Amino acid sequence: MREGEDFIHYLDNSGETNSIWESILKRKNKSASQNSFRVGSEYEIDNSNTLSFGITGSINPNVHGFYNVPTYIYDRNRNLDSLYVTQNNREKTSRNNDYNFSYDHKFKEKEKLSFSSDYTHYYYNENQDIFSSFSLPNNPPYRQTRFVSDNTQKIQLFSAQSDYANEDNGIEMGMKFGKVKADSQLIFKDEINGELIENTSRTNQFLYDETIFAGYASYNKEIEKWTLKAGLRGEYTQLKGNSVTVTEINQQKYFKLFPTFYALYKANENHQIGFSYGKRISRPQYSWLNPFRSYYNSYSYFVGDPKLQPTIIHNLNLTYTLKDKYNFDLYYRHEKNPSMEISYQDYETTTVVYHLTNIEKNTALGLEFNANLVFFDWWESGIQAGINYTQDTFLGVDEKLYQNKRLQYNGSTNNRFTFNKKKDFTAEVNFYYNSKSVQGTFTISQSTSLDFAFRKKIFQDRWELFAIFSDVYRGEKQTVITKYANQYNYFTDYSDTQSFKIGFKYNFGNQKLNEKNRTQTEEQKRI
């Protein structure tokens, strides 16, 4: 369940509020089942060669939601002028299957060649039926509208890479190939005289094709108390986005280099100082490239941008470690063209648009501290705290550059308690705090959360009973504000993260096998 309220202030030429639109939204989704599975096998040919294969998948069928959204329109004196009620009936289904293969060859103990490949097929479908009724105060509806949409997304990902590492001489190198094909279709229909008629101006098909070739090499060396490492990665990207219905094609081709450098000086067992610089690339999620509009009421929608640019990120870090327990990190980050959601009001259509797009840049300077402490044999704690100054620069709807900046704080503590010598009965108490923050056009209010968990393993640790209480006092509710030029809107948002779960888990199969924690590929993270 997700609940919130939207407040939109439309201003006159003097900057005073002319009208206020207030929407109350409660979204509740129901799912008959949510299923996931994972199957893996490993075959050791000999001491030097190993093959492995795995399948991971998820199926979320028939997730149904019904949203009733009343919107009250007030004049500048807070008198009710008119209202409309939107009923959004939606159903969505998603499936995701990933097949992975890997081969490892050991030349000797510290020299290895690896090859891996992944294929992923992702399917998503969402149907919406949106009905709106417009009326004056204490009067019957004077107008009613209805439209339906059918949004289908199919994504195919393939990646293959090889990596060589020799710890004796400090050399690492590798190559990677990635291929993405996405097909998104939106069928949009308006109800006219009781019949659903396709709206060709809103119906569209978007095809996306992306190919990436990458190669990297690095070298590390230890010289007395120094550890040094330098690397270089090169990536060539070729992509094409085609909005078929409107015959709009976006093509990009670029080659970029990404250097990295790392130095660590270990003065003695208690003191270590490090410095690092890294340049990397972050590409947008595939759904963000989709130009289709997703509505939840008649005057508000989300839309992607097929011309999104990748984000180029520069990181500088100066670190200090005391007694292998206390870690300090002084950092500077600069992002060019970061991708994010921004909002703006279209005064001509009195519509609020949530646009997934690039802003000019993001910079941050901060200090982080973390420590892993053992107070007693039965109490372990992880502590984290940070402070940073963040500044986002974005282009406003009036084509002027604006800066959204703030000094931000955060902190968290994660505590683990063990109640017996076998260490099979444990509890966790976790807490975090985030101060007010900025993101593009948004200023986001503070948030906190407190969680409890209890776990007990039984029957030779094959069974685990657990109870989890999340967001105990609903501290994750936030207010998100956009205010600049003639833009003034804000919304409260709470995703119903407060929950209480009781359950059990059973581990079957050969418990002596070492489970490999397989990380997602960069392509899979963008779904």
Side-chain angles (χ1 to χ4, degrees):
M1 183 173 176
R2 188 170 183 174
E3 58 186 54
E5 292 182 272
D6 288 356
F7 301 85
I8 302 104
H9 289 241
Y10 288 98
L11 311 179
D12 58 24
N13 293 332
S14 64
E16 296 296 323
T17 297
N18 193 41
S19 66
I20 303 171
W21 295 45
E22 179 179 337
S23 298
I24 301 172
L25 171 65
K26 289 187 178 181
R27 286 180 274 184
K28 188 174 184 179
N29 294 321
K30 295 182 179 179
S31 176
S33 65
Q34 294 183 345
N35 310 290
S36 63
F37 62 89
R38 180 178 180 183
V39 178
S41 63
E42 183 177 292
Y43 176 63
E44 189 174 297
I45 302 172
D46 52 39
N47 291 335
S48 300
N49 299 280
T50 304
L51 292 170
S52 63
F53 176 78
I55 304 174
T56 304
S58 64
I59 303 173
N60 298 310
N62 302 325
V63 180
H64 180 258
F66 180 78
Y67 313 153
N68 190 72
V69 188
T71 299
Y72 303 90
I73 303 174
Y74 300 93
D75 63 19
R76 66 176 66 220
N77 297 317
R78 195 69 183 181
N79 297 312
L80 183 62
D81 181 74
S82 59
L83 70 136
Y84 69 93
V85 178
T86 299
Q87 295 178 336
N88 186 328
N89 192 0
R90 65 173 62 189
E91 186 173 291
K92 59 183 178 181
T93 297
S94 65
R95 297 191 298 270
N96 188 41
N97 293 315
D98 170 51
Y99 307 86
N100 58 76
F101 168 82
S102 66
Y103 166 71
D104 295 332
H105 173 74
K106 281 187 177 181
F107 296 99
K108 50 186 179 181
E109 183 62 28
K110 295 186 178 181
E111 184 180 10
K112 185 173 75 170
L113 176 66
S114 301
F115 172 81
S116 64
S117 65
D118 286 85
Y119 172 76
T120 300
H121 184 271
Y122 175 78
Y123 171 86
Y124 176 86
N125 176 260
E126 181 179 60
N127 293 290
Q128 290 191 98
D129 190 335
I130 297 179
F131 174 83
S132 297
S133 176
F134 301 81
S135 63
L136 298 174
N138 303 315
N139 280 275
Y142 65 84
R143 182 164 64 93
Q144 295 178 332
T145 64
R146 179 186 174 215
F147 62 85
V148 300
S149 64
D150 184 358
N151 188 352
T152 302
Q153 188 176 46
K154 300 175 183 178
I155 300 176
Q156 297 181 74
L157 313 176
F158 175 77
S159 66
Q161 69 180 70
S162 61
D163 301 279
Y164 170 79
N166 189 327
E167 295 182 32
D168 290 328
N169 57 27
I171 293 176
E172 294 181 20
M173 62 180 65
M175 297 182 296
K176 180 179 179 180
F177 168 78
K179 182 70 174 178
V180 179
K181 278 185 173 292
D183 183 352
S184 301
Q185 297 189 55
L186 174 69
I187 299 174
F188 198 102
K189 295 181 180 180
D190 292 311
E191 185 179 85
I192 301 175
N193 297 325
E195 292 187 24
L196 290 172
I197 307 298
E198 184 172 337
N199 186 330
T200 56
S201 65
R202 291 186 176 182
T203 294
N204 199 359
Q205 180 181 20
F206 180 67
L207 302 176
Y208 183 76
D209 192 300
E210 178 184 276
T211 304
I212 299 173
F213 297 93
Y216 75 92
S218 68
Y219 176 73
N220 67 79
K221 181 73 174 178
E222 292 190 8
I223 305 174
E224 296 181 349
K225 295 184 178 182
W226 287 91
T227 299
L228 304 171
K229 185 174 183 178
L232 183 65
R233 180 182 180 90
E235 292 193 8
Y236 172 76
T237 302
Q238 178 178 304
L239 63 87
K240 179 180 179 181
N242 181 8
S243 296
V244 177
T245 309
V246 295
T247 63
E248 182 178 334
I249 297 176
N250 172 55
Q251 296 188 79
Q252 298 180 36
K253 295 180 181 180
Y254 55 86
F255 175 75
K256 296 184 182 295
L257 292 173
F258 303 95
T260 57
F261 175 75
Y262 169 79
L264 177 68
Y265 177 71
K266 190 172 183 179
N268 52 49
E269 292 299 321
N270 293 327
H271 303 279
Q272 296 182 54
I273 299 175
F275 170 79
S276 66
Y277 165 75
K279 177 185 176 184
R280 62 184 181 88
I281 188 171
S282 177
R283 296 180 174 86
Q285 295 184 8
Y286 305 116
S287 60
W288 290 22
L289 298 160
N290 193 330
F292 301 162
R293 296 178 179 182
S294 176
Y295 288 84
Y296 74 79
N297 68 36
S298 298
Y299 292 95
S300 181
Y301 63 84
F302 295 83
V303 63
D305 185 352
K307 297 181 181 180
L308 273 177
Q309 299 293 312
T311 304
I312 303 300
I313 305 168
H314 300 267
N315 286 306
L316 281 168
N317 296 78
L318 180 64
T319 61
Y320 171 66
T321 301
L322 174 64
K323 297 181 179 181
D324 288 330
K325 286 185 179 180
Y326 309 99
N327 303 288
F328 300 85
D329 182 5
L330 178 65
Y331 66 89
Y332 172 77
R333 182 185 70 246
H334 177 85
E335 297 182 356
K336 181 181 179 182
N337 298 324
S339 301
M340 62 183 62
E341 177 188 300
I342 68 170
S343 69
Y344 64 88
Q345 297 157 236
D346 185 335
Y347 273 68
E348 290 186 5
T349 60
T350 56
T351 300
V352 177
V353 181
Y354 296 94
H355 192 193
L356 299 163
T357 188
N358 296 116
I359 66 169
E360 288 287 315
K361 62 181 179 179
N362 163 274
T363 57
L365 176 66
L367 177 65
E368 292 280 347
F369 165 77
N370 68 77
N372 295 308
L373 305 175
V374 179
F375 297 115
F376 303 99
D377 291 341
W378 49 271
W379 181 10
E380 299 177 7
S381 181
I383 299 172
Q384 177 273 332
I387 180 173
N388 71 78
Y389 178 79
T390 298
Q391 177 176 291
D392 280 357
T393 303
F394 63 91
L395 190 67
V397 291
D398 54 0
E399 299 298 318
K400 296 180 181 178
L401 283 178
Y402 292 87
Q403 291 183 342
N404 199 5
K405 49 194 176 182
R406 179 169 289 277
L407 189 66
Q408 304 172 174
Y409 313 89
N410 64 83
S412 65
T413 176
N414 302 296
N415 300 272
R416 188 173 187 269
F417 303 92
T418 304
F419 297 125
N420 58 7
K421 291 183 178 180
K422 288 182 62 178
K423 297 185 177 181
D424 59 4
F425 185 23
T426 61
E428 297 174 21
V429 179
N430 304 318
F431 174 82
Y432 83 80
Y433 166 80
N434 289 327
S435 70
K436 280 188 177 181
S437 60
V438 296
Q439 177 188 303
T441 63
F442 297 145
T443 298
I444 305 170
S445 66
Q446 71 175 32
S447 64
T448 64
S449 182
L450 177 65
D451 305 328
F452 296 100
F454 296 90
R455 304 179 189 276
K456 180 68 172 76
K457 293 183 178 181
I458 57 177
F459 302 130
Q460 299 178 335
D461 293 345
R462 284 181 176 268
W463 292 78
E464 181 182 84
L465 306 177
F466 61 85
I468 303 173
F469 193 2
S470 302
D471 194 15
V472 174
Y473 53 82
R474 293 169 61 96
E476 294 193 27
K477 186 174 182 179
Q478 292 183 306
T479 300
V480 183
I481 302 173
T482 293
K483 191 174 184 180
Y484 73 94
N486 66 347
Q487 302 291 301
Y488 183 21
N489 63 80
Y490 61 96
F491 62 89
T492 61
D493 183 56
Y494 183 67
S495 298
D496 198 21
T497 51
Q498 185 182 72
S499 64
F500 180 67
K501 300 177 183 177
I502 298 177
F504 67 90
K505 182 172 69 173
Y506 174 66
N507 298 312
F508 61 89
N510 188 348
Q511 303 300 301
K512 295 181 180 180
L513 289 176
N514 294 322
E515 182 179 356
K516 291 186 176 180
N517 292 321
R518 185 174 183 85
T519 59
Q520 288 185 311
T521 65
E522 291 301 317
E523 291 78 13
Q524 291 167 346
K525 292 177 182 177
R526 295 168 59 196
I527 289 180

